[in-house]
Amino acid sequence: MRYYDKLIFELSHPGRTGYSLPSVQQYPFFAEKCSSGVAVDAAVPANLLRKSKLELPEVSEVDVVRHYTNLSQMNFGVDTGFYPLGSCTMKYNPKINEEIANHPAFAGLHPLQPAETVKGAQAVIDGLDAALAAITGMKHFTFLPCAGAHGELTGLMLMREYHMARNDSARVKVIVPDSAHGTNPASAAVCGLQIVEVKSGADGLVDVEALKPLLGPDVAGIMMTNPNTLGLFERQIGEIARLVHECGGLLYYDGANMNPLLGKVRPGDMGFDIMHLNLHKTFSTPHGGGGPGSGPVGVGERVLPYLRIPQTSGFHGNFGVMLRAYAYILMLGKQNVKMAGPLATLSANYIKESLKDCYKLPIPTVCKHEFVFDGLINDGAREGKTGATTLDVAKRLLDYGFHAPTIYFPLLFHQALMIEPTETESLETLDEFIAVMKKIAAEAAEDPDILHGAPHNAPIGRPDETAAARNPILKA
Amino acid sequence: MAGSAYFPHTGDDIRKMLERIGVRSLDDLYSDVPADFIYNKEYELPDALSEQEVRNFFDELGKKNTSLKVFVGQGAYDHYVPSVIPYITSRSEFLTAYTPYQCEISQGTLRYIFEWQSMVCRLTGMDVSNASMYDGPSAAAEALRMAVACTRKRNKVVVSTKLMQNVLDVVKTYLKYPDIEVVYAWDVLEELGPDVAGVIVPSICRHGVIQDLGGIADAVHAAGALLIEYCDPSALAVLKTPAEWGADIAVGDGQSLGIPLCYGGPYVGFLACKSEYMRKLPGRIVGQATDKDGKRCFVLTLQAREQHIRREKATSNICSNQSLMALWVTVYLSLMGPEGLRKVNELSCAGAHYLYEELLKTGRFEEAFPGRPFLKEFCLKPLVPVAVLQQKLLDAGFFGALELDGYVTFCVTEKRTKEEIDALVAVVKEIAL
Amino acid sequence: MSKILDELLYSESHEWVKVDGNIAIIGVSDFAQEEMGDITYVDAPAEGDTVAKGEDFGALESVKASSELYSPVSGNVVAVNEELEDKPELINEDPYGAWIIKVEMSDKSELDTLLSAAAYAEIAQ
């Protein structure tokens, strides 16, 4: 990767253009109506028109192509290399899916077209709905949510609709494990629900005894990720479901960690009433640098009547993302789907077992799709030298051509390093990663400063984030 | 072993890996899952398809859609998409990256988001923009929540019913569950009061009429509330900006800036505000920084505002953006420049007014809002049965005359040619009065 | 070891209080600023706002975290340290000099519930 310093505005040269549009002369109407021939000036009174100059770049087409090509070369994607970012399921994104998403028979459809003209699009939605229902054991899905957090929000709205329909207005508390994704409490708060945290036990799992006293007539439900953010299967889920249902609450399944269960375990069977999936994780649609994703929400029988109530996005959701996910599921089919979760789990356990001599493994039991190390066993700290941290390990990985794992999450461990390899990586790739992680551990033991200074060969070095936050420069 | 191109594991690989882990089979990796929850049945899914079969499958489904010349807007506009955009946005370094958490190897994403923020500010006249929202309607809802967060102890918002229907629907959904009072009004000024935190109005109403917002900002500010303007960013090349009207927050959907219709998504919302509200702006924000060697670089900044610790007090739960769609818009605006975007408006406006005049000449319509200015979208009062009108248009390959509040609505973009407009008018002329 | 001043009172949420007649001067402890790291922004109330004991009156932000500020006493905010608006780093540099707000107390007996320096030293580690 090579450092490239320009912003598009800095390439601007007055009078240069990168567009190609037809002539405006073809309409007789304005030729008669206004002498200047400027339609907008004739159609709109002057007091409604823009006064300030519009400072957009003035560049040619080749300038645009080269600029963004240069920018792309400072980026790292799944196609660049191994991307073991925990909790993000950075699996390979099949290319046929891109072709399907750009299919002109779908890309040209207006969202308000009459039903009889969009039968193909409806078939995609129905087919994906049925497939996701089969995979998860839920009844039906709404595809309006555009991301996982958006799905959480929509799902909690459904939880509230369920209780509101029963005039059960006292249920305003939602229970969230202390290991939950940070978005869970935020989603609950935005939905007008109060958060109650339930502690994990020493084994990293929800402590059922700690849960019991929290349950009561004011509980709307519980939000759980299973496997949880430590990559551990919540084996008490059957009992938890029974207790929560018994107190009149619902179970929400945060599908961020669905990948190891793909083809193996169905959230509906575990007793969940509402769930969201991240099509951009489990169903291989590209993350796009942070979006667009898709966070469809599925419901079981008791929440089904309310499924269409929350309108959380403007039309039908991110249809282009749905097309990709559907194509992926069709490629997997009923045969291959059974292999996805187990192979992802295999890869994670393989890395875990291969590195536990160099990195602290706080919970040694079998993991699912991901696991958490708590920093280096020997961080190299000694007289006059501070040890290498998780951040340092992450930055050093970049030097060796790997993306870093998720760091400092979950919050349960101070030096958390969360690794999720996914099922699309070969044994050779995993072995290379393991070798590099061992090499970094050896470097830290020898001289932690090698890590403190990393990355050494990325386009930029570590930035001064404090200065950036104290004096924000947010636009050119 | 695995019959899928996406699983590289050979039988031998799996054996080696299981051995390292110290278990005998893949099933052993699920020994922590109670047996009741293991799904041993066959999934109710189709048989695995080959790539060729998948392509054929979608070709066949595509044939069930009808390709139409689009003469409707209502929040989704059929503007031309320059070929450079999909070319750039399909580069895998952009497409297959995730959130720029590791900024040292994400400068591409961070830079284009910084450019997007800059362009949104330049279009709207606002001081600060975030890295983008899911879509325009959800951005509008988030802006109202933001107004409540910005004004202490005020808990009511006023929503103009002149907004498009899908914006109203999403706003209604978002504000239903938290403790925020919402009032809907055609004339928002009638609802101002000491408990109002924010007011949202469109710059172009649902009927296509360009709004004169003169005096609204002053009245809203005098009442101690924030003014939010919902706008079509494409039109901001020619129309008075939210800043010029005195708005505090600008929101809208970037779809009109080069994003294909794609049956409603993915699109991209924008949310920008005056600098004094920067700390309450939801979502991601990219800022300029310098690295340890003094090189200019870009980072996610002001991260701590939400989610991290104050999560129970969060006013928004958004923690991603529509990054690739923001790139889509950024490339579009780079290609168009100020002149190109003006010309898009010029062509759309000229075409729309031509269609408007020609439709009136057919005698099948009356003016709905005589003398009121419009740009590319307008309403007419139909004098023929709407169902017949719509069916005739569909039969001739046009999507137009969408019914709205007793009127029918049309929209013309620069993609529509004079021949297409003439052909649509010819169809209308054949409908018996 | 973080610094703890003997003459101040402390809350369990790491705010310090200096009593000056009926006025409580409030800031955050050295321990708190160390835990937060480089402070980038102080979200403080406005003069004239009321605060209640145990309730949040603002927040501190650093690059990675945001932390609520809880008022150790109830009363009216009579002054806000405006210098922190541009220089939040003062809290890192001199946590006991960089006060955040001054509160005119409505119930001085609330001070009795606060921790002495010795008691606070037990939890600030």
Side-chain angles (χ1 to χ4, degrees):
Chain A
M1 288 189 209
R2 186 170 63 85
Y3 180 66
Y4 164 84
D5 189 39
K6 296 285 196 323
L7 290 170
I8 190 75
F9 307 103
E10 293 158 7
L11 302 174
S12 185
H13 187 90
R16 213 161 265 164
T17 54
Y19 66 85
S20 154
L21 290 165
S23 160
V24 79
Q25 300 304 321
Q26 56 185 322
Y27 300 107
F29 172 66
F30 278 103
E32 296 159 21
K33 247 188 179 170
C34 70
S35 53
S36 71
V38 179
V40 172
D41 289 356
V44 185
N47 69 320
L48 304 182
L49 292 175
R50 180 178 183 120
K51 299 285 180 290
S52 53
K53 196 164 169 250
L54 179 56
E55 305 265 8
L56 291 176
E58 295 179 67
V59 288
S60 64
E61 183 174 316
V62 65
D63 291 333
V64 173
V65 171
R66 288 212 180 115
H67 174 70
Y68 289 102
T69 300
N70 274 303
L71 289 194
S72 75
Q73 287 168 350
M74 292 195 287
N75 248 19
F76 187 103
V78 172
D79 288 3
T80 317
F82 184 45
Y83 212 127
L85 193 64
S87 225
C88 297
T89 314
M90 300 301 287
K91 63 172 77 173
Y92 171 70
N93 313 129
K95 302 313 165 202
I96 179 72
N97 303 352
E98 296 308 306
E99 209 177 287
I100 300 302
N102 296 321
H103 200 299
F106 295 99
L109 294 180
H110 191 283
L112 300 175
Q113 272 185 224
E116 67 267 28
T117 67
V118 292
K119 285 183 185 153
Q122 192 57 48
V124 169
I125 296 174
D126 294 344
L128 183 57
D129 182 37
L132 296 182
I135 287 168
T136 60
M138 307 308 277
K139 290 287 174 207
H140 282 291
F141 280 78
T142 168
F143 291 94
L144 292 180
C146 299
H150 209 201
E152 285 177 23
L153 183 60
T154 309
L156 288 173
M157 287 171 176
L158 288 168
M159 190 184 279
R160 295 214 56 190
E161 288 293 341
Y162 168 81
H163 292 305
M164 280 154 63
R166 297 153 58 91
N167 291 319
D168 200 351
S169 57
R171 295 191 182 271
V172 292
K173 288 187 178 159
V174 59
I175 299 170
V176 178
D178 56 2
S179 62
H181 291 113
T183 45
N184 290 174
S187 302
V190 169
C191 206
L193 292 162
Q194 294 162 22
I195 295 113
V196 182
E197 204 170 81
V198 58
K199 297 271 174 245
S200 303
D203 56 359
L205 303 176
V206 167
D207 181 348
V208 175
E209 290 310 312
L211 174 66
K212 281 179 184 166
L214 304 178
L215 298 171
D218 55 350
V219 169
I222 187 169
M223 292 181 87
M224 284 181 72
T225 310
N226 197 14
N228 64 20
T229 55
L230 299 172
L232 305 173
F233 192 86
E234 296 278 3
R235 46 188 102 182
Q236 301 276 16
I237 183 60
E239 176 67 359
I240 293 171
R242 193 184 63 78
L243 290 168
V244 172
H245 282 146
E246 209 173 75
C247 95
L250 296 177
L251 280 89
Y252 183 92
Y253 181 82
D254 172 349
N257 294 350
M258 178 69 197
N259 205 45
L261 305 194
L262 182 55
K264 202 74 188 173
V265 181
R266 307 195 311 167
D269 298 340
M270 290 189 276
F272 287 96
D273 305 288
I274 309 170
M275 72 175 292
H276 82 263
L277 286 166
N278 297 57
L279 297 187
H280 47 285
K281 294 180 180 177
T282 319
F283 297 94
S284 88
T285 74
H287 283 67
S294 174
V297 170
V299 295
E301 198 72 59
R302 63 181 98 191
V303 187
L304 193 55
Y306 318 103
L307 185 61
R308 305 295 160 201
I309 294 177
Q311 291 287 313
T312 39
S313 67
F315 292 107
H316 314 293
N318 283 344
F319 184 73
V321 180
M322 292 154 61
L323 276 169
R324 291 175 173 91
Y326 193 30
Y328 173 72
I329 292 172
L330 292 173
M331 290 284 287
L332 285 187
K334 64 177 154 207
Q335 293 83 4
N336 296 316
V337 74
K338 289 220 160 208
M339 292 308 294
L343 290 175
T345 302
L346 177 71
S347 297
N349 280 285
Y350 179 73
I351 296 178
K352 175 171 73 84
E353 291 303 315
S354 304
L355 288 174
K356 66 181 182 185
D357 295 338
C358 307
Y359 294 84
K360 289 181 205 160
L361 182 62
I363 297 181
T365 50
V366 66
C367 67
K368 291 276 107 30
H369 63 308
E370 67 188 4
F371 62 93
V372 180
F373 283 133
D374 190 11
L376 286 154
I377 289 176
N378 178 2
D379 65 2
R382 69 194 79 143
E383 188 67 36
K385 277 206 195 285
T386 47
T389 62
T390 277
L391 179 71
D392 298 326
V393 173
K395 295 302 180 193
R396 188 63 178 144
L397 268 172
L398 310 183
D399 280 336
Y400 289 108
F402 292 107
H403 197 281
T406 293
I407 55 176
Y408 301 112
F409 184 83
L411 307 171
L412 298 177
F413 304 108
H414 276 295
Q415 291 295 324
L417 189 73
M418 185 194 223
I419 298 173
E420 177 180 8
T422 85
E423 73 280 11
T424 61
E425 301 301 329
S426 70
L427 178 57
E428 287 77 9
T429 303
L430 302 182
D431 281 340
E432 278 171 44
F433 175 74
I434 289 162
V436 162
M437 285 290 282
K438 285 183 174 172
K439 191 169 178 195
I440 292 172
E443 286 176 347
E446 189 196 317
D447 180 5
D449 287 347
I450 302 172
L451 273 64
H452 294 321
H456 300 279
N457 50 27
I460 60 161
R462 291 192 205 180
D464 185 347
E465 294 183 60
T466 303
R470 281 183 181 158
N471 300 299
I473 302 170
L474 307 180
K475 63 172 181 183
Chain B
M1 111 119 250
S4 164
Y6 311 145
F7 307 146
H9 310 68
T10 64
D12 205 32
D13 292 343
I14 292 175
R15 265 191 303 281
K16 276 186 203 159
M17 292 166 81
L18 289 172
E19 200 172 305
R20 173 81 56 89
I21 297 164
V23 296
R24 272 187 305 246
S25 69
L26 286 174
D27 284 344
D28 286 355
L29 296 171
Y30 290 82
S31 57
D32 53 341
V33 178
D36 291 356
F37 298 143
I38 299 283
Y39 191 73
N40 285 318
K41 284 180 267 180
E42 190 171 83
Y43 278 87
E44 285 174 48
L45 293 172
D47 286 321
L49 300 183
S50 69
E51 201 174 290
Q52 174 67 42
E53 287 165 326
V54 165
R55 191 175 301 188
N56 292 345
F57 176 84
F58 284 98
D59 279 343
E60 288 308 310
L61 281 192
K63 285 178 195 158
K64 294 186 182 173
N65 295 327
T66 316
S67 174
L68 300 169
K69 301 284 181 214
V70 175
F71 278 89
V72 166
Q74 290 300 301
Y77 299 94
D78 191 22
H79 286 293
Y80 182 70
V81 182
S83 59
V84 169
I85 304 179
Y87 179 83
I88 292 292
T89 54
S90 60
R91 285 191 69 92
S92 72
E93 300 91 335
F94 290 133
L95 183 68
T96 70
Y98 189 40
T99 296
Y101 288 133
Q102 296 294 335
C103 63
E104 293 88 349
I105 52 167
S106 309
Q107 285 297 300
T109 301
L110 289 160
R111 256 175 211 257
Y112 77 66
I113 292 176
F114 187 78
E115 291 176 349
W116 147 275
Q117 289 174 185
S118 305
M119 288 179 186
V120 168
C121 289
R122 289 170 187 213
L123 277 170
T124 59
M126 291 287 130
D127 301 317
V128 195
S129 160
N130 73 8
S132 72
M133 308 292 284
Y134 302 132
D135 65 1
S138 66
E142 296 264 12
L144 286 163
R145 295 191 58 105
M146 179 181 162
V148 172
C150 288
T151 54
R152 289 168 196 229
K153 295 170 188 129
R154 287 168 177 252
N155 212 28
K156 182 173 162 182
V157 293
V158 181
V159 176
S160 169
T161 47
K162 294 179 183 175
L163 287 158
M164 274 178 301
Q165 195 55 44
N166 68 343
V167 180
L168 289 174
D169 289 344
V170 174
V171 162
K172 198 172 167 188
T173 296
Y174 264 68
L175 299 183
K176 179 174 179 184
Y177 308 93
D179 185 24
I180 295 174
E181 189 188 342
V182 195
V183 179
Y184 298 89
W186 186 256
D187 181 359
V188 293
L189 295 186
E190 285 177 3
E191 299 294 338
L192 287 177
D195 47 351
V196 173
V199 175
I200 184 168
V201 295
S203 70
I204 300 174
C205 83
R206 57 198 273 135
H207 301 129
V209 176
I210 301 166
Q211 301 293 293
D212 184 345
L213 301 176
I216 291 190
D218 286 346
V220 169
H221 292 152
L226 271 60
L227 178 64
I228 304 159
E229 188 181 320
Y230 192 94
C231 31
D232 171 1
S234 174
L236 289 181
V238 295
L239 296 187
K240 208 161 183 167
T241 65
E244 287 171 339
W245 284 122
D248 304 287
I249 302 174
V251 290
D253 203 308
Q255 184 275 334
S256 57
L257 299 173
I259 295 178
L261 291 171
C262 198
Y263 202 49
Y267 295 168
V268 60
F270 65 87
L271 176 48
C273 65
K274 297 278 192 198
S275 55
E276 51 261 52
Y277 306 113
M278 173 175 76
R279 300 276 168 178
K280 300 289 182 197
L281 191 59
R284 286 201 176 128
I285 300 178
V286 170
Q288 189 177 311
T290 47
D291 80 351
K292 60 183 171 61
D293 303 319
K295 274 188 209 165
R296 176 171 64 170
C297 61
F298 297 87
V299 296
L300 290 174
T301 193
L302 309 182
Q303 286 281 300
R305 297 157 306 137
E306 292 286 351
Q307 282 123 35
H308 289 279
I309 306 280
R310 299 186 90 186
R311 47 196 208 175
E312 286 88 357
K313 300 229 160 188
T315 53
S316 168
N317 79 332
I318 188 166
C319 55
S320 63
N321 64 337
Q322 295 274 103
S323 201
L324 197 75
M325 307 323 288
L327 174 62
W328 204 283
V329 168
T330 305
V331 175
Y332 178 82
L333 289 173
S334 300
L335 291 168
M336 288 292 146
E339 274 318 301
L341 198 57
R342 174 163 256 290
K343 203 170 171 196
V344 164
N345 280 279
E346 189 61 20
L347 285 160
S348 305
C349 178
H353 284 78
Y354 176 63
L355 175 64
Y356 185 84
E357 294 283 315
E358 296 299 309
L359 285 175
L360 282 178
K361 281 186 205 163
T362 64
R364 269 73 175 170
F365 300 95
E366 274 177 3
E367 286 193 290
F369 305 99
R372 305 296 301 278
F374 64 91
L375 206 55
K376 63 187 170 198
E377 199 167 6
F378 60 84
C379 280
L380 289 171
K381 202 188 275 178
L383 302 175
V384 290
V386 175
V388 175
L389 171 64
Q390 290 175 335
Q391 193 56 52
K392 291 278 182 204
L393 289 178
L394 277 184
D395 293 346
F398 298 109
F399 175 44
L402 189 73
E403 200 166 8
L404 179 69
D405 303 334
Y407 310 115
V408 288
T409 170
F410 289 90
C411 179
V412 179
T413 66
E414 79 284 6
K415 262 178 85 175
R416 299 285 75 86
T417 63
K418 180 168 181 294
E419 290 69 30
E420 288 168 358
I421 295 173
D422 289 338
L424 184 150
V425 172
V427 172
V428 171
K429 277 183 188 157
E430 282 168 20
I431 301 170
L433 262 173
Chain C
M1 257 322 271
S2 68
K3 211 165 64 173
I4 297 173
L5 300 190
D6 285 343
E7 64 271 28
L8 304 180
L9 294 171
Y10 298 86
S11 68
E12 281 167 18
S13 47
H14 308 290
E15 289 83 13
W16 57 258
V17 179
K18 184 178 176 184
V19 182
D20 181 7
N22 209 29
I23 303 292
I25 305 169
I26 298 168
V28 296
S29 72
D30 189 36
F31 175 80
Q33 73 80 18
E34 260 178 25
E35 285 284 296
M36 285 290 292
D38 293 338
I39 309 259
T40 55
Y41 181 65
V42 182
D43 184 11
E47 248 179 66
D49 283 4
T50 56
V51 295
K53 180 177 165 61
E55 288 188 10
D56 70 291
F57 67 86
L60 296 182
E61 290 181 8
S62 69
V63 168
K64 298 288 178 214
S66 167
S67 182
E68 304 269 301
L69 293 164
Y70 296 95
S71 186
V73 294
S74 306
N76 281 317
V77 179
V78 291
V80 176
N81 187 353
E82 281 166 12
E83 214 183 345
L84 296 177
E85 212 170 292
D86 293 327
K87 290 186 177 165
E89 59 269 31
L90 291 177
I91 292 182
N92 295 117
E93 291 162 8
D94 180 12
Y96 297 108
W99 59 277
I100 299 170
I101 52 170
K102 295 185 182 180
V103 173
E104 185 173 23
M105 289 177 277
S106 55
D107 178 7
K108 275 190 83 168
S109 71
E110 285 174 350
L111 293 171
D112 300 342
T113 63
L114 297 177
L115 304 170
S116 66
Y120 179 65
E122 296 278 309
I123 60 167
Q125 51 188 325

